[in-house]
Amino acid sequence: MFPSLCEVSTDQLKEAVKKLLQFLHETLQISGAHTVDFYTQDIWKKLVAVSPETVLSAFSKHNGTSHHIGKEVPELSSIFSNQQLVNIEAFVEASHSHSLVNMGICTSVDELLEALAVHKAGSPDLKTDQFMNDKKSHEVLIMSQLVQSIANICGVKQVIDLGAGKGYLSSYLSMKYNLKVYGIDSSDTNTDGANRRNQKLKKYWKTYKTDAREVSKAQESDQNKDCLLPNYSCQEVNTDREIPKPKSCFPKLEESSISNDLKSINVSEWKRDQENYQRTLQPADSDRSSPFLDILPADAVEEQTFSKSVHKSLSEQEKEQRKMENISIKEQRGSRVYLPLTCKITVETELSEIIEDLEESIMVGLHTCGDLAPNTLRIFTAKPEIKAVCSVGCCYHLLSEEFESPEEEITVTTWGFPMSIHLKESSWFFGRNARMSACLALERVAVGQGLATESLFYRAVLQVILKDCFSVTQSDKRVGKIFSKSGNFTEYVRKSLKKLGHDDSELSDMEIMEYFEKYKPRKNEMEAFNMLKVLLAPCIEALILLDRLLYLKEQDEENTVLWSD
């Protein structure tokens, strides 16, 4: 459908994967190293032959600089010698070359949006930053543009949002683009929480609608002096200048001018009335969501939700009950366009058992966690009613790998990685530590490097204490979020030892701090090593995503496949 966006052949993909595998094979010892064992196994000395200062300096030098596609990639022999990193400049260059954005085989988001721009539907802008943080708002805005454009191309009006969570993307798609959205999440907590928020929003909305009608009547009868204007703050009224238009959620009020009768309003009484008015809009509990009302249509969200999980099949009784629920929902639906559902979806799931009014749809997922992302693609290829897919995965450390533990007897039949026949033939696997490395966000580490490294440093030194004082050699035990709950290293160690089942009274505060002081001068080694892992993160992610793209190519389906990095 878009030849310019899908020019990469299967052979080109395989060649790119081949080069990527060669690089990852040599660097897997770095990305797969467990930072918990950083000091107990002397990982820096074992794997890196240059100083920490050299690594940090090279990273700082290259951070933020662009890499040109097609630039010559340094040979691996110039980067490593005797399994040690010897050339940091070449390592940085090679890492950039093997990231998805620089491989020249995928379409960037900007290019994709530009190519699809003609399909954008005009509608009022919604202020997502009023109910989302900046990061989430940015993601939802970009994703919604892609989804709307693809939906228009495919001629569909129904969207199935897998892993919908709190429904940010689902509600935005329904409100801004009037798409009929089913937000599906396997967690009752997410769906039930969304349902409670929806009921609260409806209660607020009724209050706003009632007041809007009262304001409208007051305007029509030219009695503006008795009208309370919400969100209009005023220190004093200057009768010699034009009164600015108030900020309000009532379109009829904003479109009209303010009557000159406002000059006669007593300012102190007006302010008091405003405060009383605002108090009537406060929620009954502490969970305030009122900014969301600035963009929420009256019937944007269904109040009803399914609580049963759907696996491979439903009993006849459950099917009948689901059918009756769907009939009831369909009768009530009207202009409502967003319905949250609690279901577990697999390739075997009959979507019509969940969605009674199922029609041709686009399946989407923003931050589809772990195996949900590959399963979304499997559902797409297996269900003819799904005409397109737009999926953004996350949490690579939760991916199941088919060849990670071949000696263990495992009953899993559907794996998260690899998906493609091509990679299955090579029996490639990363291992959990390397997948954890793929989750490293460059921006997060660059900004919050101090805090991130301090946490890793604490855990690595704790492992030394466990080995020396408690004869613990395994490093797979997790202490959780104790770092954030500890005021200093001594407190961290004592809490961790107790959680791991050890007697912390065997160590004095002085002995604990001796370990801290011993390894403190080597903390820059961990900082530098973490930067190496950050550089490799996009390369690991590239292989995971190219494997999924290869899988789609191998299916030889005529469904629309749009892919972006």
Side-chain angles (χ1 to χ4, degrees):
M1 192 163 294
F2 288 103
S4 62
L5 300 180
C6 306
E7 293 178 349
V8 179
S9 66
T10 301
D11 289 339
Q12 287 175 300
L13 282 176
K14 289 181 178 180
E15 182 62 27
V17 167
K18 178 182 177 181
K19 295 178 180 179
L20 187 55
L21 285 174
Q22 292 174 346
F23 178 71
L24 290 175
H25 184 269
E26 291 296 322
T27 58
L28 196 60
Q29 58 184 352
I30 294 176
S31 58
H34 199 354
T35 51
V36 169
D37 298 317
F38 191 77
Y39 296 120
T40 57
Q41 297 184 11
D42 207 1
I43 288 177
W44 181 266
K45 185 177 180 180
K46 184 187 299 184
L47 300 180
V48 186
V50 297
S51 68
E53 292 78 13
T54 301
V55 171
L56 293 172
S57 175
F59 183 85
S60 177
K61 176 182 176 182
H62 288 272
N63 191 22
T65 59
S66 59
H67 178 87
H68 299 291
I69 297 175
K71 189 174 182 179
E72 185 176 350
V73 182
E75 295 290 336
L76 288 171
S77 58
S78 68
I79 302 174
F80 296 96
S81 178
N82 297 323
Q83 296 187 327
Q84 282 188 311
L85 174 61
V86 295
N87 188 335
I88 183 60
E89 292 288 342
F91 176 85
V92 172
E93 194 62 47
S95 298
H96 286 317
S97 298
H98 289 95
S99 64
L100 198 59
V101 70
N102 292 317
M103 295 179 73
I105 57 175
C106 288
T107 305
S108 71
V109 171
D110 290 340
E111 291 173 326
L112 189 55
L113 286 174
E114 183 178 352
L116 302 177
V118 66
H119 299 284
K120 286 185 181 179
S123 58
D125 290 332
L126 303 180
K127 300 178 180 179
T128 59
D129 57 354
Q130 292 184 351
F131 61 101
M132 306 179 204
N133 60 39
D134 290 342
K135 179 177 180 294
K136 178 65 68 175
S137 177
H138 172 76
E139 293 169 345
V140 167
L141 287 172
I142 296 296
M143 186 76 163
S144 63
Q145 290 178 41
L146 285 173
V147 172
Q148 163 64 5
S149 298
I150 299 170
N152 278 344
I153 292 167
C154 297
V156 301
K157 284 293 185 181
Q158 191 174 86
V159 177
I160 302 174
D161 183 5
L162 291 189
K166 296 179 179 180
Y168 291 123
L169 177 63
S170 296
S171 56
Y172 190 84
L173 285 170
S174 68
M175 288 185 287
K176 182 171 176 63
Y177 298 112
N178 199 32
L179 292 168
K180 188 161 52 178
V181 185
Y182 285 89
I184 300 178
D185 199 278
S186 62
S187 170
D188 288 327
T189 302
N190 278 334
T191 308
D192 291 344
N195 190 47
R196 288 192 298 272
R197 285 192 298 274
N198 296 340
Q199 292 173 348
K200 184 177 299 183
L201 290 171
K202 280 181 173 290
K203 181 180 69 175
Y204 288 140
W205 186 255
K206 290 177 182 178
T207 303
Y208 272 77
K209 287 198 296 184
T210 299
D211 190 82
R213 285 193 293 268
E214 293 176 356
V215 171
S216 179
K217 291 178 181 178
Q219 285 182 304
E220 292 172 0
S221 61
D222 197 28
Q223 295 178 357
N224 292 333
K225 62 182 179 180
D226 298 321
C227 175
L228 301 180
L229 299 178
N231 298 328
Y232 184 80
S233 60
C234 178
Q235 298 301 322
E236 63 175 337
V237 176
N238 186 339
T239 59
D240 296 326
R241 63 182 182 184
E242 182 182 356
I243 298 177
K245 188 183 296 185
K247 295 180 180 179
S248 171
C249 66
F250 309 137
K252 186 174 291 186
L253 183 60
E254 289 191 350
E255 291 171 2
S256 63
S257 60
I258 307 300
S259 170
N260 288 331
D261 288 341
L262 284 175
K263 298 176 183 179
S264 63
I265 293 178
N266 183 288
V267 175
S268 61
E269 291 181 2
W270 188 12
K271 292 175 68 177
R272 184 187 65 245
D273 290 338
Q274 280 186 272
E275 293 170 358
N276 292 335
Y277 176 85
Q278 292 296 336
R279 278 195 289 271
T280 66
L281 301 182
Q282 299 304 316
D285 53 38
S286 59
D287 183 15
R288 298 183 59 184
S289 305
S290 55
F292 191 51
L293 294 171
D294 289 343
I295 63 172
L296 181 73
D299 295 320
V301 187
E302 291 280 4
E303 293 184 10
Q304 190 167 352
T305 178
F306 297 132
S307 60
K308 294 186 177 181
S309 295
V310 177
H311 296 275
K312 293 184 180 180
S313 62
L314 297 172
S315 67
E316 291 302 319
Q317 182 180 357
E318 289 173 324
K319 287 181 180 179
E320 186 62 26
Q321 180 180 352
R322 186 62 57 83
K323 183 178 180 181
M324 296 304 296
E325 289 173 333
N326 273 311
I327 292 174
S328 175
I329 291 171
K330 191 173 183 180
E331 290 174 348
Q332 299 175 34
R333 187 159 194 138
S335 61
R336 298 172 185 173
V337 290
Y338 170 43
L339 176 65
L341 305 172
T342 302
C343 308
K344 182 176 180 181
I345 303 293
T346 68
V347 175
E348 291 80 14
T349 301
E350 289 295 335
L351 295 177
S352 58
E353 295 178 357
I354 304 167
I355 304 172
E356 192 273 343
D357 61 341
L358 180 67
E359 56 190 61
E360 291 186 345
S361 308
I362 173 174
M363 184 164 281
V364 305
L366 179 58
H367 295 312
T368 43
C369 187
D371 285 355
L372 181 57
N375 285 338
T376 298
L377 301 183
R378 291 189 176 100
I379 294 170
F380 163 65
T381 59
K383 306 295 183 183
E385 58 267 35
I386 306 300
K387 295 304 178 183
V389 62
C390 187
S391 177
V392 178
C394 70
C395 301
Y396 299 126
H397 62 294
L398 297 179
L399 275 176
S400 60
E401 291 197 84
E402 183 173 358
F403 304 106
E404 184 175 7
S405 304
E407 69 283 354
E408 296 182 10
E409 184 177 349
I410 301 176
T411 58
V412 178
T413 57
T414 304
W415 300 90
F417 181 88
M419 293 187 70
S420 65
I421 297 173
H422 181 68
L423 272 178
K424 284 179 180 290
E425 291 174 347
S426 67
S427 300
W428 175 269
F429 69 94
F430 291 106
R432 189 177 188 277
N433 291 334
R435 296 197 311 273
M436 283 290 292
S437 297
C439 297
L440 291 172
L442 182 59
E443 292 82 7
R444 172 181 175 271
V445 175
V447 175
Q449 175 62 27
L451 186 60
T453 302
E454 192 74 8
S455 173
L456 296 173
F457 175 69
Y458 273 27
R459 183 62 183 91
V461 178
L462 171 65
Q463 191 64 25
V464 177
I465 294 175
L466 288 169
K467 180 181 179 181
D468 291 352
C469 305
F470 300 93
S471 302
V472 175
T473 56
Q474 293 182 329
S475 58
D476 57 347
K477 302 295 182 182
R478 302 177 188 176
V479 299
K481 300 180 180 180
I482 290 180
F483 173 80
S484 61
K485 302 174 184 178
S486 303
N488 52 56
F489 181 70
T490 301
E491 185 179 355
Y492 170 84
V493 170
R494 294 201 179 281
K495 287 182 178 180
S496 299
L497 290 175
K498 290 176 181 177
K499 182 170 184 177
L500 296 173
H502 300 291
D503 184 4
D504 68 301
S505 64
E506 295 183 17
L507 291 171
S508 67
D509 289 354
M510 182 178 294
E511 289 173 317
I512 292 174
M513 287 307 298
E514 284 177 355
Y515 278 97
F516 180 85
E517 295 299 334
K518 177 181 179 180
Y519 288 96
K520 185 177 179 180
R522 297 181 58 186
K523 188 163 69 171
N524 62 344
E525 293 178 359
M526 179 165 285
E527 292 177 1
F529 195 78
N530 205 37
M531 289 298 97
L532 298 179
K533 298 186 107 179
V534 167
L535 284 168
L536 292 174
C539 308
I540 299 171
E541 181 182 46
L543 185 61
I544 293 173
L545 297 182
L546 290 180
D547 170 59
R548 294 172 184 176
L549 183 54
L550 266 174
Y551 165 80
L552 292 175
K553 289 278 190 178
E554 291 169 352
Q555 302 312 299
D556 194 29
E557 294 286 341
E558 294 183 357
N559 291 333
T560 303
V561 177
L562 294 180
W563 196 263
S564 68
D565 54 17

PDB file of all heavy atoms in Angstrom, residues 208-220:
ATOM      1  N   TYR A 208     -20.942  19.658  35.681  1.00  0.00           N
ATOM      2  CA  TYR A 208     -20.577  20.684  34.709  1.00  0.00           C
ATOM      3  C   TYR A 208     -21.720  20.968  33.750  1.00  0.00           C
ATOM      4  O   TYR A 208     -22.008  22.120  33.411  1.00  0.00           O
ATOM      5  CB  TYR A 208     -19.341  20.234  33.920  1.00  0.00           C
ATOM      6  CG  TYR A 208     -18.037  20.601  34.565  1.00  0.00           C
ATOM      7  CD1 TYR A 208     -17.550  19.873  35.645  1.00  0.00           C
ATOM      8  CD2 TYR A 208     -17.287  21.677  34.099  1.00  0.00           C
ATOM      9  CE1 TYR A 208     -16.349  20.197  36.236  1.00  0.00           C
ATOM     10  CE2 TYR A 208     -16.082  22.001  34.698  1.00  0.00           C
ATOM     11  CZ  TYR A 208     -15.614  21.264  35.764  1.00  0.00           C
ATOM     12  OH  TYR A 208     -14.432  21.597  36.340  1.00  0.00           O
ATOM     13  N   LYS A 209     -22.406  19.906  33.292  1.00  0.00           N
ATOM     14  CA  LYS A 209     -23.502  20.104  32.340  1.00  0.00           C
ATOM     15  C   LYS A 209     -24.649  20.876  32.979  1.00  0.00           C
ATOM     16  O   LYS A 209     -25.243  21.752  32.355  1.00  0.00           O
ATOM     17  CB  LYS A 209     -23.995  18.748  31.825  1.00  0.00           C
ATOM     18  CG  LYS A 209     -23.048  18.065  30.867  1.00  0.00           C
ATOM     19  CD  LYS A 209     -23.760  16.990  30.085  1.00  0.00           C
ATOM     20  CE  LYS A 209     -24.245  15.882  30.998  1.00  0.00           C
ATOM     21  NZ  LYS A 209     -24.864  14.774  30.227  1.00  0.00           N
ATOM     22  N   THR A 210     -24.958  20.546  34.244  1.00  0.00           N
ATOM     23  CA  THR A 210     -26.035  21.243  34.948  1.00  0.00           C
ATOM     24  C   THR A 210     -25.719  22.716  35.081  1.00  0.00           C
ATOM     25  O   THR A 210     -26.545  23.593  34.812  1.00  0.00           O
ATOM     26  CB  THR A 210     -26.238  20.626  36.343  1.00  0.00           C
ATOM     27  OG1 THR A 210     -26.594  19.265  36.181  1.00  0.00           O
ATOM     28  CG2 THR A 210     -27.328  21.352  37.096  1.00  0.00           C
ATOM     29  N   ASP A 211     -24.474  23.031  35.483  1.00  0.00           N
ATOM     30  CA  ASP A 211     -24.080  24.422  35.654  1.00  0.00           C
ATOM     31  C   ASP A 211     -24.036  25.151  34.314  1.00  0.00           C
ATOM     32  O   ASP A 211     -24.365  26.331  34.222  1.00  0.00           O
ATOM     33  CB  ASP A 211     -22.718  24.503  36.335  1.00  0.00           C
ATOM     34  CG  ASP A 211     -22.381  25.916  36.747  1.00  0.00           C
ATOM     35  OD1 ASP A 211     -22.854  26.347  37.809  1.00  0.00           O
ATOM     36  OD2 ASP A 211     -21.673  26.588  35.979  1.00  0.00           O
ATOM     37  N   ALA A 212     -23.632  24.409  33.260  1.00  0.00           N
ATOM     38  CA  ALA A 212     -23.571  25.021  31.930  1.00  0.00           C
ATOM     39  C   ALA A 212     -24.949  25.459  31.479  1.00  0.00           C
ATOM     40  O   ALA A 212     -25.124  26.522  30.887  1.00  0.00           O
ATOM     41  CB  ALA A 212     -22.970  24.033  30.933  1.00  0.00           C
ATOM     42  N   ARG A 213     -25.953  24.622  31.743  1.00  0.00           N
ATOM     43  CA  ARG A 213     -27.319  24.985  31.378  1.00  0.00           C
ATOM     44  C   ARG A 213     -27.788  26.219  32.142  1.00  0.00           C
ATOM     45  O   ARG A 213     -28.446  27.100  31.596  1.00  0.00           O
ATOM     46  CB  ARG A 213     -28.255  23.800  31.641  1.00  0.00           C
ATOM     47  CG  ARG A 213     -28.124  22.680  30.620  1.00  0.00           C
ATOM     48  CD  ARG A 213     -29.287  21.715  30.751  1.00  0.00           C
ATOM     49  NE  ARG A 213     -29.248  20.990  31.995  1.00  0.00           N
ATOM     50  CZ  ARG A 213     -28.663  19.806  32.160  1.00  0.00           C
ATOM     51  NH1 ARG A 213     -28.064  19.235  31.130  1.00  0.00           N
ATOM     52  NH2 ARG A 213     -28.679  19.208  33.331  1.00  0.00           N
ATOM     53  N   GLU A 214     -27.448  26.287  33.438  1.00  0.00           N
ATOM     54  CA  GLU A 214     -27.836  27.433  34.256  1.00  0.00           C
ATOM     55  C   GLU A 214     -27.194  28.712  33.735  1.00  0.00           C
ATOM     56  O   GLU A 214     -27.828  29.759  33.657  1.00  0.00           O
ATOM     57  CB  GLU A 214     -27.448  27.191  35.712  1.00  0.00           C
ATOM     58  CG  GLU A 214     -28.247  26.068  36.368  1.00  0.00           C
ATOM     59  CD  GLU A 214     -27.777  25.791  37.778  1.00  0.00           C
ATOM     60  OE1 GLU A 214     -26.785  26.429  38.195  1.00  0.00           O
ATOM     61  OE2 GLU A 214     -28.379  24.943  38.455  1.00  0.00           O
ATOM     62  N   VAL A 215     -25.897  28.611  33.367  1.00  0.00           N
ATOM     63  CA  VAL A 215     -25.195  29.778  32.838  1.00  0.00           C
ATOM     64  C   VAL A 215     -25.817  30.222  31.521  1.00  0.00           C
ATOM     65  O   VAL A 215     -26.005  31.407  31.251  1.00  0.00           O
ATOM     66  CB  VAL A 215     -23.696  29.466  32.655  1.00  0.00           C
ATOM     67  CG1 VAL A 215     -23.006  30.601  31.911  1.00  0.00           C
ATOM     68  CG2 VAL A 215     -23.034  29.248  34.007  1.00  0.00           C
ATOM     69  N   SER A 216     -26.176  29.232  30.680  1.00  0.00           N
ATOM     70  CA  SER A 216     -26.777  29.553  29.398  1.00  0.00           C
ATOM     71  C   SER A 216     -28.104  30.290  29.569  1.00  0.00           C
ATOM     72  O   SER A 216     -28.382  31.271  28.886  1.00  0.00           O
ATOM     73  CB  SER A 216     -26.987  28.266  28.596  1.00  0.00           C
ATOM     74  OG  SER A 216     -27.583  28.558  27.363  1.00  0.00           O
ATOM     75  N   LYS A 217     -28.929  29.794  30.499  1.00  0.00           N
ATOM     76  CA  LYS A 217     -30.211  30.449  30.763  1.00  0.00           C
ATOM     77  C   LYS A 217     -29.998  31.872  31.272  1.00  0.00           C
ATOM     78  O   LYS A 217     -30.726  32.801  30.908  1.00  0.00           O
ATOM     79  CB  LYS A 217     -31.008  29.638  31.779  1.00  0.00           C
ATOM     80  CG  LYS A 217     -31.505  28.306  31.247  1.00  0.00           C
ATOM     81  CD  LYS A 217     -32.244  27.538  32.338  1.00  0.00           C
ATOM     82  CE  LYS A 217     -32.724  26.188  31.824  1.00  0.00           C
ATOM     83  NZ  LYS A 217     -33.401  25.420  32.899  1.00  0.00           N
ATOM     84  N   ALA A 218     -29.010  32.044  32.130  1.00  0.00           N
ATOM     85  CA  ALA A 218     -28.735  33.374  32.684  1.00  0.00           C
ATOM     86  C   ALA A 218     -28.322  34.340  31.585  1.00  0.00           C
ATOM     87  O   ALA A 218     -28.708  35.506  31.584  1.00  0.00           O
ATOM     88  CB  ALA A 218     -27.643  33.277  33.743  1.00  0.00           C
ATOM     89  N   GLN A 219     -27.519  33.830  30.615  1.00  0.00           N
ATOM     90  CA  GLN A 219     -27.103  34.692  29.518  1.00  0.00           C
ATOM     91  C   GLN A 219     -28.294  35.083  28.650  1.00  0.00           C
ATOM     92  O   GLN A 219     -28.427  36.239  28.235  1.00  0.00           O
ATOM     93  CB  GLN A 219     -26.067  33.960  28.653  1.00  0.00           C
ATOM     94  CG  GLN A 219     -24.700  33.883  29.314  1.00  0.00           C
ATOM     95  CD  GLN A 219     -23.723  33.185  28.391  1.00  0.00           C
ATOM     96  OE1 GLN A 219     -23.954  32.070  27.961  1.00  0.00           O
ATOM     97  NE2 GLN A 219     -22.639  33.858  28.099  1.00  0.00           N
ATOM     98  N   GLU A 220     -29.131  34.092  28.363  1.00  0.00           N
ATOM     99  CA  GLU A 220     -30.272  34.358  27.498  1.00  0.00           C
ATOM    100  C   GLU A 220     -31.226  35.375  28.112  1.00  0.00           C
ATOM    101  O   GLU A 220     -31.898  36.130  27.416  1.00  0.00           O
ATOM    102  CB  GLU A 220     -31.005  33.053  27.195  1.00  0.00           C
ATOM    103  CG  GLU A 220     -30.179  32.098  26.327  1.00  0.00           C
ATOM    104  CD  GLU A 220     -30.843  30.746  26.207  1.00  0.00           C
ATOM    105  OE1 GLU A 220     -31.941  30.576  26.816  1.00  0.00           O
ATOM    106  OE2 GLU A 220     -30.293  29.876  25.534  1.00  0.00           O
TER     107      GLU A 220
END
